[in-house]
Amino acid sequence: MKCIITIELGTNAVRVFAFDLNGNVIGSMKGHYHTFHTGPDYSEQDPEQIFITMLYVLKNLLNEIIHPKKYAVASICFSASMHSVLAVDKNGVPLGNAITWADNRAKKEAQELKNSPDAKTIYTATGTPIHPMSPLLKIAWIKNNSRERFALTSKFLSIKSYIIQQLTGEYLIDYSLASATGLLNIHTLKWETGALDYAGISAGMLPDLVPVFASAGKLKKAFQNSLNLPADTKIIVGSSDGCLATLGAGIWDEGKATITIEDSGAVRVVGKKVLQDERQRFFNYLLTEDCYVSGGPTNNGGIIFEWFTKQFGDFKNPFDEEQSMEELIAEASKVHAGSEGLLFLPYLLGERAPIWNANARGVYFGLNIKHERRHFIRATIEGILYEIYSIGKILEEHRTINSLSINGSFASIPFCTQIIADIFNKPVNLRADYHSVGVGAFLLSATEMGIYKTLDEAAKTIDLPDKYVPRRESHAVYSSYFSIFERLSTKLAEEFEAIATLQEKDAADSGTNKVLSKIKLT
Amino acid sequence: MNQFVLQQGHSPELELFPHIVELGAKKNSSIQLNSLPESVSDSIRIYYVIDGKFEWNIHHQPYMLYPGDVALILPGQAFGSEKGFLEIGSLSWIHITIAKLESGEVVPGKWSSLSESESLTIGKILVLNNSLVLSKLNEAGRILQYIQSELFNQHIGYCTRVNHLIDELFITITRQLTRQSNPARDFPKAFMQLEQTLRQNLSHQWTVEEMAAVVGMGTTLFNEKVKSYSGFSPINYLINIRISEAIKLLKKVDISLTDIALDTGFYSSQHFSTTFKKLTGYTPSEFRKNNLPHN
């Protein structure tokens, strides 16, 4: 019996799945690693910890499930979070930690490029919004602020490229992940000269470009031995988490969109053409050369409700966030749609699509004397989902969307899924087990093996059994409140900037005056 | 309230308790200049505020203490009043000598009936924590009172009782220390803080009890939470960190394998080598050879 293994190098953890050739999950395991915030705006991960965690989890899955059940591993396919950057020296040794997608240190670089005439050319060529998340700007930041590291750097890799290089010795990146670097021309599939010049690097300093189906070379001998895998085990380069989650959700036709909400979130559509947006609000990432995944990302997904739970949940059992969250949701469900006029803007982490405003902040609006705790709970959830709708709405200016497919731990909470159906006024499909990225990687591998002729055919096999139907009355309520939500999001721009500036100043002051804050605490 | 001061070497009450350096309670109704200048001591000093408001410097940080608060001053840390004098108010205190092991760790001492591992854990938590003022710990004030009355009344069994009470004081303070830094809500944050502590003290032979104590959890709950959150048992998670740090060091030329093994918390280079090979397929020296400059 053969099986396909998928490895997802995610934001907080590596998830390894094993599928049989019919797409059934044989087993799965995860291993967590930390994100380090060594400075304001910094989000870094230890590349060696990611590598070792991946190796450890893979080994455990093989030893505990795959080898005892006598499965032969046909292929191992990778996926990873987008936008990571890891500088390595001429021996391939990391120069510091990997910089993750959530890192905002290149704020200044992003603002400068945005204001320059090159912005439009680079965005149109690369499809990646000009934002600190983009590796283009992270590399520019290293060039401007970390000269010694820049001088020592032989290559700028993605985390996935580093992990694959450790396993096989090859420096590779697939077109798909590369299309999220801000450095790849998504029309010609070559590194974009203008972007390379801006970052101050040559194409030779990036990994070699290969298709998502490409083999990443042979596992090094030592790993063949320690993992007990044959030399001909196929290592497939794979794609990014965003593109594979879309594929795994069965989204392949026009007329459909997928909504993913974990800590952060995104609304995505798939098509044969790039979405050209005058205001540069969308990303356009490649899955294969004739398939673009387009959409908009939000910073403020489930992480905002987690924040709310930590502050206001009951925690009857210590550290039991799940239980506290369930109780809050039960309380929220007793409130009518629209939270009786309490609105919430969820921009605690600044916001990307559609307002692209790093200074945006959270707001409760419309509070009156009758509002209770339960209204706050419901308003918080509705606010997170209005934000998702605001991305969907601008996508609809370009594409018709008839139905939605949902994935991610927050979006697939039934209470949230129903609200999504109601706000969008569209039918929603989901599968309760939320591992679309793994399923996407499986479909990719299975297509590579010839089980499916095309990715199109593979995507069509996805059957999402649970359906949520929009409720007319709720939709009417949400629509009227949403128009206020939408106006507030842009109307408050000046005040957002003013308060963000003050907050930054305050944080800097309390940094130098830690002593003062200590007195306040004691 | 009875005011008193017992001092080792002067007060016969302390003859049987060489580890108690000083025990006292004071109601200060007038200000005397230079009554509390900054000082450093070898013993661990614990002050409990009964009444009043005190501005103290502990380890060069200013703190404001209110009734119910406890100040904890570790051996070697400076302690004194901001203005040099003791402010008006009431307080009680105890100074205890603490044993320093060859490994550099501190433990309560031979008089204590804490088990060896709990003793080590408590020592570790005391040293690791940087919050030196514990708020609203009335329990500590009560324990100090019991110690006083046991010492003055000398009823049958008081020797054992006094030492038990000091153990009790250490346990109460340690629990409050960990609880204060983790309000039992945010596990990811607590786990993050633990990882930072582990990375800063990687050469220490961590036990699960110690790790659980750092985040203020019982061992059972801790095991369960770490497993479900990280996918690994606490010890395996720690091995992950050890190996990742070792890999970084192996990629540098100038550190010997034995040093790497000890720096990253393995018992020996043999233990390091076996664990490393089991996980990566390479022995540390093979791994180093593969990753060094080829010239």
Side-chain angles (χ1 to χ4, degrees):
Chain A
M1 282 180 299
K2 285 186 176 174
C3 74
I4 288 172
I5 287 183
T6 66
I7 298 179
E8 177 192 350
L9 303 161
T11 302
N12 307 309
V14 52
R15 288 186 174 77
V16 182
F17 283 92
F19 294 89
D20 67 18
L21 297 190
N22 299 316
N24 303 310
V25 175
I26 307 165
S28 73
M29 284 184 188
K30 72 159 185 183
H32 165 89
Y33 37 76
H34 273 304
T35 302
F36 301 98
H37 304 284
T38 47
D41 292 325
Y42 282 40
S43 284
E44 298 187 345
Q45 286 175 336
D46 175 353
E48 308 299 8
Q49 188 179 17
I50 296 180
F51 178 66
I52 280 300
T53 307
M54 184 280 301
L55 205 57
Y56 208 158
V57 174
L58 176 61
K59 193 179 148 90
N60 285 347
L61 184 81
L62 289 168
N63 285 345
E64 287 168 32
I65 299 171
I66 303 305
H67 296 323
K69 290 193 179 168
K70 306 262 182 279
Y71 277 101
V73 178
S75 63
I76 298 178
C77 179
F78 280 90
S79 74
S81 307
M82 293 186 260
H83 315 305
S84 62
V85 170
L86 175 67
V88 298
D89 71 9
K90 62 183 195 308
N91 300 310
V93 176
L95 297 160
N97 282 334
I99 304 175
T100 78
W101 65 271
D103 193 288
N104 275 323
R105 74 185 72 180
K107 271 198 297 206
K108 206 174 108 222
E109 281 74 12
Q111 203 51 51
E112 276 170 16
L113 180 55
K114 235 182 187 171
N115 296 335
S116 90
D118 295 340
K120 198 173 173 208
T121 330
I122 291 184
Y123 170 73
T124 312
T126 65
T128 304
I130 310 292
H131 183 272
M133 69 183 182
S134 172
L136 163 72
L137 295 155
K138 288 171 176 153
I139 296 173
W141 183 92
I142 296 175
K143 178 186 68 174
N144 297 338
N145 299 282
S146 185
R147 296 219 175 117
E148 196 185 347
R149 169 148 61 146
F150 191 78
L152 286 172
T153 302
S154 155
K155 280 188 191 299
F156 288 101
L157 306 176
S158 72
I159 288 176
K160 187 170 84 171
S161 306
Y162 179 69
I163 299 301
I164 288 180
Q165 191 271 335
Q166 292 296 295
L167 289 173
T168 70
E170 311 267 351
Y171 287 111
L172 303 171
I173 189 166
D174 52 280
Y175 289 112
S176 182
L177 198 59
S179 70
T181 60
L183 294 159
L184 184 81
N185 185 311
I186 55 172
H187 313 279
T188 64
L189 304 191
K190 300 221 160 35
W191 295 117
E192 171 68 14
T193 320
L196 293 179
D197 290 347
Y198 177 79
I201 58 170
S202 64
M205 292 175 77
L206 295 167
D208 295 341
L209 286 162
V210 293
V212 288
F213 296 112
S215 157
K218 267 194 186 136
L219 272 182
K220 287 179 185 169
K221 195 90 183 118
F223 299 123
Q224 293 172 25
N225 293 338
S226 68
L227 298 170
N228 196 9
L229 288 171
D232 60 355
T233 308
K234 185 150 195 174
I235 311 295
I236 298 174
V237 178
S239 171
S240 67
D241 54 2
C243 289
L244 288 175
T246 312
L247 177 64
I251 299 301
W252 206 251
D253 307 325
E254 308 230 338
K256 285 185 187 167
T258 177
I259 293 173
T260 305
I261 317 176
E262 298 271 354
D263 281 355
S264 58
V267 185
R268 303 183 182 97
V269 292
V270 170
K272 291 194 172 15
K273 289 210 178 92
V274 172
L275 284 193
Q276 295 290 5
D277 185 53
E278 269 304 306
R279 291 156 67 189
Q280 309 180 14
R281 291 173 298 181
F282 303 128
F283 55 72
N284 284 285
Y285 302 135
L286 278 169
L287 179 50
T288 59
E289 52 212 69
D290 61 349
C291 170
Y292 294 94
V293 174
S294 309
T298 167
N299 294 345
N300 301 293
I303 195 163
I304 301 303
F305 192 57
E306 255 175 54
W307 163 83
F308 186 90
T309 306
K310 277 169 201 161
Q311 312 310 318
F312 309 112
D314 285 333
F315 285 88
K316 287 173 193 150
N317 307 317
F319 293 107
D320 197 344
E321 189 175 292
E322 215 170 301
Q323 168 77 16
S324 297
M325 224 179 238
E326 276 170 25
E327 286 167 7
L328 289 178
I329 287 173
E331 221 176 307
S333 65
K334 290 178 195 145
V335 180
H336 291 303
S339 303
E340 297 179 34
L342 181 57
L343 273 174
F344 173 59
L345 307 192
Y347 308 131
L348 274 65
L349 293 166
E351 191 50 291
R352 291 187 282 169
I355 58 171
W356 293 96
N357 182 354
N359 293 324
R361 292 293 180 269
V363 177
Y364 285 96
F365 183 80
L367 192 55
N368 70 41
I369 199 79
K370 285 187 184 160
H371 286 130
E372 298 167 11
R373 181 173 109 130
R374 57 201 177 107
H375 296 96
F376 278 90
I377 308 169
R378 184 165 187 126
T380 305
I381 296 170
E382 288 175 348
I384 295 168
L385 302 174
Y386 284 144
E387 157 57 24
I388 292 289
Y389 179 59
S390 67
I391 303 173
K393 197 171 163 235
I394 56 163
L395 278 171
E396 282 191 290
E397 294 168 12
H398 298 260
R399 289 277 170 80
T400 312
I401 300 170
N402 302 318
S403 69
L404 303 167
S405 140
I406 298 289
N407 55 67
S409 52
F410 185 73
S412 55
I413 297 170
F415 181 70
C416 299
T417 313
Q418 184 61 55
I419 297 180
I420 294 173
D422 295 346
I423 295 181
F424 277 79
N425 200 24
K426 294 182 199 309
V428 169
N429 300 295
L430 95 160
R431 186 165 53 188
D433 50 13
Y434 38 84
H435 52 260
S436 325
V437 180
V439 174
F442 161 77
L443 294 176
L444 191 82
S445 310
T447 307
E448 190 276 337
M449 285 171 74
I451 297 174
Y452 306 113
K453 284 195 204 73
T454 57
L455 285 179
D456 195 11
E457 186 187 315
K460 289 214 167 82
T461 63
I462 296 298
D463 174 34
L464 302 170
D466 300 330
K467 296 205 193 321
Y468 287 74
V469 183
R471 293 171 302 192
R472 191 188 299 253
E473 311 82 65
S474 303
H475 175 68
V477 174
Y478 289 135
S479 296
S480 15
Y481 284 125
F482 176 76
S483 69
I484 303 178
F485 174 96
E486 199 179 24
R487 289 203 299 275
L488 282 176
S489 302
T490 49
K491 229 177 208 173
L492 290 175
E494 265 180 48
E495 286 72 22
F496 282 151
E497 194 185 335
I499 198 128
T501 312
L502 277 181
Q503 287 178 353
E504 219 157 283
K505 187 175 165 292
D506 229 15
D509 288 353
S510 67
T512 51
N513 275 328
K514 256 192 182 154
V515 176
L516 277 177
S517 67
K518 263 214 162 137
I519 288 178
K520 271 183 239 149
L521 286 174
T522 52
Chain B
M1 175 195 140
N2 296 325
Q3 296 196 66
F4 72 96
V5 179
L6 300 177
Q7 278 179 326
Q8 192 59 245
H10 302 283
S11 316
E13 289 89 346
L14 295 182
E15 255 168 34
L16 293 171
F17 307 94
H19 47 285
I20 303 180
V21 179
E22 191 174 306
L23 181 78
K26 187 178 174 76
K27 184 172 180 165
N28 196 33
S29 41
S30 66
I31 284 175
Q32 286 173 8
L33 287 180
N34 222 16
S35 49
L36 192 61
E38 197 165 86
S39 67
V40 176
S41 134
D42 288 341
S43 50
I44 190 162
R45 295 179 279 182
I46 296 164
Y47 287 86
Y48 175 75
V49 176
I50 301 166
D51 203 10
K53 192 181 98 183
F54 296 89
E55 276 178 60
W56 286 340
N57 282 339
I58 307 172
H59 204 37
H60 311 298
Q61 292 271 4
Y63 291 92
M64 192 86 88
L65 285 93
Y66 297 98
D69 290 355
V70 167
L72 174 72
I73 301 109
L74 298 175
Q77 289 183 341
F79 165 67
S81 154
E82 174 78 37
K83 299 167 190 124
F85 57 78
L86 185 66
E87 290 125 316
I88 290 170
S90 314
L91 68 170
S92 56
W93 67 89
I94 189 167
H95 299 174
I96 304 163
T97 44
I98 198 153
K100 207 161 193 171
L101 300 181
E102 273 173 35
S103 55
E105 282 157 335
V106 296
V107 289
K110 284 207 169 58
W111 53 268
S112 165
S113 44
L114 290 164
S115 76
E116 195 182 336
S117 76
E118 288 189 329
S119 197
L120 272 169
T121 304
I122 284 178
K124 190 85 197 158
I125 302 297
L126 291 180
V127 172
L128 277 178
N129 264 283
N130 47 16
S131 76
L132 301 165
V133 170
L134 301 156
S135 9
K136 302 217 182 66
L137 195 57
N138 300 328
E139 187 61 25
R142 266 196 297 277
I143 296 172
L144 286 172
Q145 252 175 22
Y146 292 146
I147 296 177
Q148 178 204 340
S149 74
E150 287 290 340
L151 278 173
F152 285 134
N153 297 329
Q154 306 196 340
H155 281 308
I156 177 84
Y158 84 99
C159 278
T160 310
R161 205 70 185 276
V162 166
N163 288 338
H164 279 177
L165 283 164
I166 301 176
D167 279 342
E168 177 92 32
L169 185 63
F170 275 123
I171 293 170
T172 307
I173 285 176
T174 309
R175 285 191 179 180
Q176 179 74 8
L177 268 173
T178 53
R179 222 174 290 140
Q180 195 157 303
S181 50
N182 294 293
R185 280 173 182 254
D186 196 340
F187 182 75
K189 194 168 154 198
F191 193 49
M192 175 78 204
Q193 282 165 356
L194 172 65
E195 175 154 347
Q196 273 165 350
T197 308
L198 294 175
R199 281 175 181 261
Q200 279 158 17
N201 300 272
L202 207 54
S203 59
H204 176 69
Q205 301 296 326
W206 288 93
T207 62
V208 178
E209 288 76 18
E210 280 171 353
M211 290 193 264
V214 168
V215 293
M217 293 171 85
T219 316
T220 312
L221 180 64
F222 177 71
N223 265 319
E224 195 183 294
K225 280 278 159 193
V226 172
K227 178 78 190 161
S228 76
Y229 181 74
S230 79
F232 294 108
S233 70
I235 288 298
N236 283 343
Y237 192 83
L238 178 61
I239 288 177
N240 256 8
I241 303 178
R242 293 199 197 291
I243 298 275
S244 347
E245 279 306 310
I247 286 182
K248 272 184 236 166
L249 296 172
L250 284 169
K251 289 180 177 177
K252 291 182 186 160
V253 197
D254 46 353
I255 309 169
S256 80
L257 294 186
T258 315
D259 284 348
I260 294 178
L262 298 178
D263 282 356
T264 53
F266 293 95
Y267 309 114
S268 63
S269 47
Q270 187 55 42
H271 176 219
F272 171 45
S273 186
T274 332
T275 315
F276 195 86
K277 168 128 192 176
K278 216 161 84 188
L279 198 53
T280 67
Y282 295 100
T283 64
S285 49
E286 284 166 355
F287 185 88
R288 169 167 270 183
K289 216 179 291 164
N290 284 328
N291 281 282
L292 281 190
H294 299 298
N295 46 17

